[in-house]
């Protein structure tokens, strides 16, 4: 990952995380300069249709997906995809933990807020893992983390869009490839 502080504010980054479980396990982490969050949220809020509380690529028509990808591409954010390939003997849980371990190591000292999209089936396990992982990475006292629903935090749409597009392949992957770094993670 880049330098530990953002050039605009001298502050550390905030990171927003979502996943894709299509074939390989993808953990998408979008880093945002805290001074740019309000502007990014305005762009995303303008994309949320009436009577919806969030953006989500799965149920959008292709024309709308392209519009969303163009808007997300215009944001001044950095997204890293942590990919753990599906291999015999590995579980989704072990692949997620391996991706989280690499993410925390990369964020240590460079990020002070980590927001993961909430999933009731894994939030408690994440909290247990993050206690150990932040301690191992030396950022236990400096990296706050929380689980929020996408309807509670608009910036969670960015890693959702990137992970969905990359996992989908073809045109969708090509549209995000220039905006992301892919990190291969060894399975735990």
């Amino acid at each position: 990952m880049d330098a530990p502080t953002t050039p605009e504010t001298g502050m550390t980054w905030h990171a927003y995380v979502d996943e894709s479980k299509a074939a390989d396990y993808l953990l998408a982490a979008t880093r945002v300069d805290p001074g740019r969050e309000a502007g990014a949220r305005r762009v995303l809020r303008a994309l949320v249709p009436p009577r919806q509380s969030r953006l989500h690529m799965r149920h959008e028509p292709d024309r709308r997906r392209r519009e969303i990808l163009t808007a997300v591409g215009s944001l001044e954010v950095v997204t890293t995809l942590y990919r753990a390939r599906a291999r015999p003997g590995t579980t989704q849980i072990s692949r997620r933990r391996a991706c989280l371990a690499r993410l925390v190591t990369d964020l240590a000292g460079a990020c002070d807020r980590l927001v993961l999209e909430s999933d009731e089936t894994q939030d408690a396990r994440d909290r247990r893992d993050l206690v150990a992982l932040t301690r191992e990475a030396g950022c236990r006292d400096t990296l706050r983390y929380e689980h929020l629903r996408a309807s509670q935090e608009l910036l969670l749409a960015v890693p959702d869009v990137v992970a969905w597009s990359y996992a989908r392949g073809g045109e969708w992957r090509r549209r995000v490839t220039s905006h992301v770094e892919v990190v291969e993670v060894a399975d735990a």
Side-chain angles (χ1 to χ4, degrees), residues 52-85:
Q52 274 187 222
S53 61
R54 62 174 289 197
L55 281 177
H56 200 283
M57 294 294 275
R58 188 177 350 173
H59 302 297
E60 297 289 352
D62 287 350
R63 177 192 55 73
R64 179 101 163 95
R65 289 175 176 152
R66 289 182 190 97
E67 176 186 347
I68 292 167
L69 282 166
T70 298
V72 166
S74 74
L75 300 175
E76 295 184 44
V77 300
V78 177
T79 302
T80 302
L81 283 172
Y82 297 87
R83 178 171 59 188
R85 296 188 184 271

Short mmCIF file of all heavy atoms in Angstrom, two decimals, residues 52-85:
data_model
loop_
_atom_site.label_atom_id
_atom_site.label_comp_id
_atom_site.label_asym_id
_atom_site.label_seq_id
_atom_site.Cartn_x
_atom_site.Cartn_y
_atom_site.Cartn_z
N GLN A 52 -34.66 3.23 -2.33
CA GLN A 52 -33.60 2.27 -2.04
C GLN A 52 -32.69 2.92 -1.01
O GLN A 52 -32.54 4.14 -0.98
CB GLN A 52 -32.78 1.93 -3.28
CG GLN A 52 -33.37 0.82 -4.11
CD GLN A 52 -32.43 0.40 -5.24
OE1 GLN A 52 -32.91 0.19 -6.33
NE2 GLN A 52 -31.15 0.27 -4.99
N SER A 53 -32.08 2.09 -0.17
CA SER A 53 -31.22 2.63 0.87
C SER A 53 -29.74 2.52 0.54
O SER A 53 -28.90 3.03 1.26
CB SER A 53 -31.50 1.91 2.19
OG SER A 53 -31.21 0.53 2.05
N ARG A 54 -29.43 1.84 -0.59
CA ARG A 54 -28.03 1.60 -0.91
C ARG A 54 -27.85 1.27 -2.38
O ARG A 54 -28.81 0.99 -3.08
CB ARG A 54 -27.50 0.44 -0.07
CG ARG A 54 -28.25 -0.85 -0.38
CD ARG A 54 -27.70 -2.04 0.31
NE ARG A 54 -26.42 -2.40 -0.28
CZ ARG A 54 -25.84 -3.57 -0.12
NH1 ARG A 54 -26.40 -4.49 0.61
NH2 ARG A 54 -24.69 -3.84 -0.66
N LEU A 55 -26.60 1.26 -2.81
CA LEU A 55 -26.23 0.80 -4.15
C LEU A 55 -25.83 -0.66 -4.06
O LEU A 55 -25.17 -1.06 -3.09
CB LEU A 55 -25.01 1.56 -4.67
CG LEU A 55 -25.19 2.94 -5.21
CD1 LEU A 55 -23.84 3.53 -5.60
CD2 LEU A 55 -26.11 2.95 -6.40
N HIS A 56 -26.18 -1.43 -5.06
CA HIS A 56 -25.74 -2.83 -5.11
C HIS A 56 -25.76 -3.26 -6.56
O HIS A 56 -26.77 -3.10 -7.23
CB HIS A 56 -26.64 -3.72 -4.26
CG HIS A 56 -25.99 -5.00 -3.88
ND1 HIS A 56 -25.87 -6.06 -4.75
CD2 HIS A 56 -25.41 -5.40 -2.74
CE1 HIS A 56 -25.25 -7.05 -4.14
NE2 HIS A 56 -24.96 -6.68 -2.92
N MET A 57 -24.67 -3.79 -7.05
CA MET A 57 -24.54 -4.11 -8.47
C MET A 57 -25.38 -5.31 -8.93
O MET A 57 -25.78 -5.36 -10.08
CB MET A 57 -23.07 -4.41 -8.80
CG MET A 57 -22.16 -3.22 -8.65
SD MET A 57 -22.50 -1.91 -9.83
CE MET A 57 -21.53 -2.48 -11.21
N ARG A 58 -25.64 -6.23 -8.05
CA ARG A 58 -26.26 -7.48 -8.46
C ARG A 58 -27.58 -7.31 -9.21
O ARG A 58 -27.83 -8.01 -10.19
CB ARG A 58 -26.48 -8.37 -7.24
CG ARG A 58 -26.95 -9.76 -7.62
CD ARG A 58 -27.11 -10.68 -6.46
NE ARG A 58 -26.57 -10.13 -5.22
CZ ARG A 58 -26.69 -10.67 -4.05
NH1 ARG A 58 -27.35 -11.79 -3.92
NH2 ARG A 58 -26.18 -10.12 -2.97
N HIS A 59 -28.42 -6.39 -8.79
CA HIS A 59 -29.75 -6.29 -9.39
C HIS A 59 -29.89 -5.13 -10.37
O HIS A 59 -31.00 -4.82 -10.78
CB HIS A 59 -30.80 -6.17 -8.29
CG HIS A 59 -30.78 -7.33 -7.33
ND1 HIS A 59 -31.06 -8.62 -7.72
CD2 HIS A 59 -30.45 -7.41 -6.03
CE1 HIS A 59 -30.93 -9.43 -6.69
NE2 HIS A 59 -30.55 -8.72 -5.64
N GLU A 60 -28.79 -4.51 -10.75
CA GLU A 60 -28.84 -3.37 -11.66
C GLU A 60 -28.77 -3.82 -13.11
O GLU A 60 -28.05 -4.77 -13.43
CB GLU A 60 -27.66 -2.41 -11.37
CG GLU A 60 -27.67 -1.79 -9.99
CD GLU A 60 -28.77 -0.75 -9.81
OE1 GLU A 60 -29.45 -0.39 -10.79
OE2 GLU A 60 -28.96 -0.32 -8.66
N PRO A 61 -29.47 -3.11 -14.01
CA PRO A 61 -29.30 -3.41 -15.44
C PRO A 61 -27.91 -2.92 -15.89
O PRO A 61 -27.30 -2.07 -15.26
CB PRO A 61 -30.42 -2.61 -16.11
CG PRO A 61 -30.84 -1.59 -15.13
CD PRO A 61 -30.49 -2.11 -13.76
N ASP A 62 -27.42 -3.46 -17.00
CA ASP A 62 -26.07 -3.15 -17.46
C ASP A 62 -25.84 -1.65 -17.68
O ASP A 62 -24.78 -1.13 -17.34
CB ASP A 62 -25.75 -3.91 -18.75
CG ASP A 62 -25.53 -5.39 -18.51
OD1 ASP A 62 -25.44 -5.80 -17.32
OD2 ASP A 62 -25.44 -6.15 -19.49
N ARG A 63 -26.80 -0.95 -18.24
CA ARG A 63 -26.64 0.49 -18.46
C ARG A 63 -26.36 1.20 -17.14
O ARG A 63 -25.48 2.04 -17.03
CB ARG A 63 -27.90 1.06 -19.13
CG ARG A 63 -27.87 2.57 -19.36
CD ARG A 63 -29.23 3.14 -19.74
NE ARG A 63 -30.30 2.83 -18.81
CZ ARG A 63 -30.45 3.39 -17.59
NH1 ARG A 63 -29.59 4.26 -17.16
NH2 ARG A 63 -31.46 3.05 -16.83
N ARG A 64 -27.09 0.84 -16.14
CA ARG A 64 -26.94 1.44 -14.82
C ARG A 64 -25.60 1.05 -14.19
O ARG A 64 -24.95 1.85 -13.53
CB ARG A 64 -28.11 1.00 -13.95
CG ARG A 64 -28.04 1.53 -12.57
CD ARG A 64 -28.98 2.70 -12.41
NE ARG A 64 -29.15 2.89 -10.99
CZ ARG A 64 -28.44 3.75 -10.27
NH1 ARG A 64 -27.61 4.56 -10.85
NH2 ARG A 64 -28.60 3.82 -8.97
N ARG A 65 -25.20 -0.20 -14.38
CA ARG A 65 -23.90 -0.65 -13.88
C ARG A 65 -22.77 0.21 -14.47
O ARG A 65 -21.84 0.60 -13.76
CB ARG A 65 -23.67 -2.11 -14.22
CG ARG A 65 -24.53 -3.05 -13.41
CD ARG A 65 -24.34 -4.48 -13.86
NE ARG A 65 -25.11 -5.38 -13.01
CZ ARG A 65 -25.58 -6.54 -13.40
NH1 ARG A 65 -25.34 -6.99 -14.63
NH2 ARG A 65 -26.25 -7.29 -12.56
N ARG A 66 -22.86 0.49 -15.76
CA ARG A 66 -21.83 1.33 -16.39
C ARG A 66 -21.83 2.73 -15.79
O ARG A 66 -20.77 3.31 -15.55
CB ARG A 66 -22.06 1.38 -17.90
CG ARG A 66 -21.75 0.07 -18.59
CD ARG A 66 -21.93 0.14 -20.11
NE ARG A 66 -21.84 -1.17 -20.67
CZ ARG A 66 -22.90 -1.94 -20.97
NH1 ARG A 66 -24.13 -1.50 -20.79
NH2 ARG A 66 -22.72 -3.15 -21.46
N GLU A 67 -22.99 3.27 -15.53
CA GLU A 67 -23.10 4.60 -14.91
C GLU A 67 -22.45 4.59 -13.52
O GLU A 67 -21.70 5.50 -13.16
CB GLU A 67 -24.58 4.99 -14.80
CG GLU A 67 -24.84 6.28 -14.09
CD GLU A 67 -26.34 6.54 -13.88
OE1 GLU A 67 -27.19 5.85 -14.49
OE2 GLU A 67 -26.66 7.44 -13.08
N ILE A 68 -22.74 3.57 -12.75
CA ILE A 68 -22.17 3.45 -11.41
C ILE A 68 -20.65 3.32 -11.48
O ILE A 68 -19.92 3.99 -10.74
CB ILE A 68 -22.80 2.26 -10.65
CG1 ILE A 68 -24.27 2.55 -10.35
CG2 ILE A 68 -22.02 1.94 -9.37
CD1 ILE A 68 -25.07 1.34 -9.88
N LEU A 69 -20.16 2.48 -12.38
CA LEU A 69 -18.71 2.30 -12.51
C LEU A 69 -18.01 3.58 -12.94
O LEU A 69 -16.90 3.87 -12.46
CB LEU A 69 -18.41 1.17 -13.50
CG LEU A 69 -18.59 -0.22 -12.93
CD1 LEU A 69 -18.62 -1.27 -14.03
CD2 LEU A 69 -17.51 -0.54 -11.93
N THR A 70 -18.63 4.36 -13.80
CA THR A 70 -18.05 5.64 -14.21
C THR A 70 -17.95 6.57 -13.00
O THR A 70 -16.92 7.21 -12.77
CB THR A 70 -18.88 6.28 -15.33
OG1 THR A 70 -18.84 5.41 -16.46
CG2 THR A 70 -18.35 7.65 -15.71
N ALA A 71 -19.01 6.64 -12.21
CA ALA A 71 -19.00 7.51 -11.03
C ALA A 71 -17.97 7.05 -10.01
O ALA A 71 -17.21 7.86 -9.46
CB ALA A 71 -20.40 7.55 -10.40
N VAL A 72 -17.92 5.76 -9.75
CA VAL A 72 -16.95 5.23 -8.79
C VAL A 72 -15.52 5.47 -9.29
O VAL A 72 -14.64 5.83 -8.52
CB VAL A 72 -17.22 3.73 -8.50
CG1 VAL A 72 -16.05 3.08 -7.80
CG2 VAL A 72 -18.49 3.58 -7.68
N GLY A 73 -15.31 5.34 -10.58
CA GLY A 73 -13.99 5.59 -11.16
C GLY A 73 -13.54 7.03 -11.02
O GLY A 73 -12.35 7.32 -11.05
N SER A 74 -14.49 7.95 -10.86
CA SER A 74 -14.14 9.36 -10.73
C SER A 74 -13.76 9.75 -9.30
O SER A 74 -13.23 10.83 -9.08
CB SER A 74 -15.32 10.24 -11.19
OG SER A 74 -16.36 10.22 -10.22
N LEU A 75 -14.06 8.87 -8.35
CA LEU A 75 -13.74 9.18 -6.96
C LEU A 75 -12.23 9.07 -6.73
O LEU A 75 -11.57 8.24 -7.33
CB LEU A 75 -14.46 8.20 -6.02
CG LEU A 75 -15.98 8.19 -6.10
CD1 LEU A 75 -16.54 7.09 -5.20
CD2 LEU A 75 -16.55 9.54 -5.73
N GLU A 76 -11.72 9.88 -5.85
CA GLU A 76 -10.29 9.83 -5.53
C GLU A 76 -10.08 8.87 -4.36
O GLU A 76 -9.91 9.27 -3.22
CB GLU A 76 -9.79 11.23 -5.21
CG GLU A 76 -9.87 12.14 -6.42
CD GLU A 76 -9.31 13.51 -6.16
OE1 GLU A 76 -8.23 13.60 -5.54
OE2 GLU A 76 -9.95 14.48 -6.57
N VAL A 77 -10.14 7.58 -4.70
CA VAL A 77 -9.98 6.52 -3.72
C VAL A 77 -9.01 5.49 -4.27
O VAL A 77 -8.73 5.47 -5.48
CB VAL A 77 -11.34 5.85 -3.37
CG1 VAL A 77 -12.31 6.86 -2.79
CG2 VAL A 77 -11.94 5.16 -4.58
N VAL A 78 -8.52 4.63 -3.41
CA VAL A 78 -7.62 3.55 -3.80
C VAL A 78 -8.25 2.25 -3.32
O VAL A 78 -8.59 2.13 -2.14
CB VAL A 78 -6.23 3.74 -3.14
CG1 VAL A 78 -5.31 2.58 -3.47
CG2 VAL A 78 -5.61 5.07 -3.53
N THR A 79 -8.40 1.28 -4.21
CA THR A 79 -8.97 -0.01 -3.82
C THR A 79 -7.97 -1.12 -4.07
O THR A 79 -7.37 -1.20 -5.14
CB THR A 79 -10.28 -0.30 -4.58
OG1 THR A 79 -11.22 0.74 -4.33
CG2 THR A 79 -10.88 -1.64 -4.16
N THR A 80 -7.80 -1.96 -3.07
CA THR A 80 -6.96 -3.14 -3.18
C THR A 80 -7.86 -4.37 -3.04
O THR A 80 -8.69 -4.42 -2.14
CB THR A 80 -5.88 -3.15 -2.09
OG1 THR A 80 -5.10 -1.96 -2.20
CG2 THR A 80 -4.97 -4.36 -2.22
N LEU A 81 -7.67 -5.32 -3.94
CA LEU A 81 -8.39 -6.59 -3.86
C LEU A 81 -7.42 -7.64 -3.32
O LEU A 81 -6.36 -7.89 -3.90
CB LEU A 81 -8.86 -7.03 -5.25
CG LEU A 81 -10.07 -6.33 -5.82
CD1 LEU A 81 -10.27 -6.75 -7.28
CD2 LEU A 81 -11.30 -6.65 -5.01
N TYR A 82 -7.80 -8.25 -2.22
CA TYR A 82 -7.04 -9.34 -1.65
C TYR A 82 -7.72 -10.62 -2.13
O TYR A 82 -8.89 -10.84 -1.83
CB TYR A 82 -7.03 -9.25 -0.13
CG TYR A 82 -6.32 -8.00 0.35
CD1 TYR A 82 -7.01 -6.81 0.50
CD2 TYR A 82 -4.95 -8.02 0.62
CE1 TYR A 82 -6.36 -5.66 0.91
CE2 TYR A 82 -4.29 -6.87 1.03
CZ TYR A 82 -5.00 -5.69 1.17
OH TYR A 82 -4.36 -4.55 1.57
N ARG A 83 -6.99 -11.43 -2.88
CA ARG A 83 -7.59 -12.63 -3.48
C ARG A 83 -6.97 -13.88 -2.91
O ARG A 83 -5.75 -14.08 -2.97
CB ARG A 83 -7.42 -12.61 -5.00
CG ARG A 83 -7.98 -13.86 -5.66
CD ARG A 83 -8.03 -13.79 -7.15
NE ARG A 83 -6.72 -13.57 -7.73
CZ ARG A 83 -6.53 -13.32 -9.03
NH1 ARG A 83 -7.56 -13.23 -9.84
NH2 ARG A 83 -5.32 -13.15 -9.49
N ALA A 84 -7.82 -14.74 -2.36
CA ALA A 84 -7.40 -16.06 -1.90
C ALA A 84 -8.11 -17.08 -2.78
O ALA A 84 -9.34 -17.17 -2.77
CB ALA A 84 -7.76 -16.26 -0.43
N ARG A 85 -7.34 -17.78 -3.55
CA ARG A 85 -7.92 -18.73 -4.50
C ARG A 85 -8.53 -19.93 -3.77
O ARG A 85 -8.01 -20.37 -2.75
CB ARG A 85 -6.87 -19.20 -5.47
CG ARG A 85 -6.35 -18.05 -6.35
CD ARG A 85 -5.45 -18.58 -7.43
NE ARG A 85 -4.87 -17.49 -8.19
CZ ARG A 85 -5.45 -16.96 -9.27
NH1 ARG A 85 -6.61 -17.40 -9.69
NH2 ARG A 85 -4.86 -15.97 -9.92
#
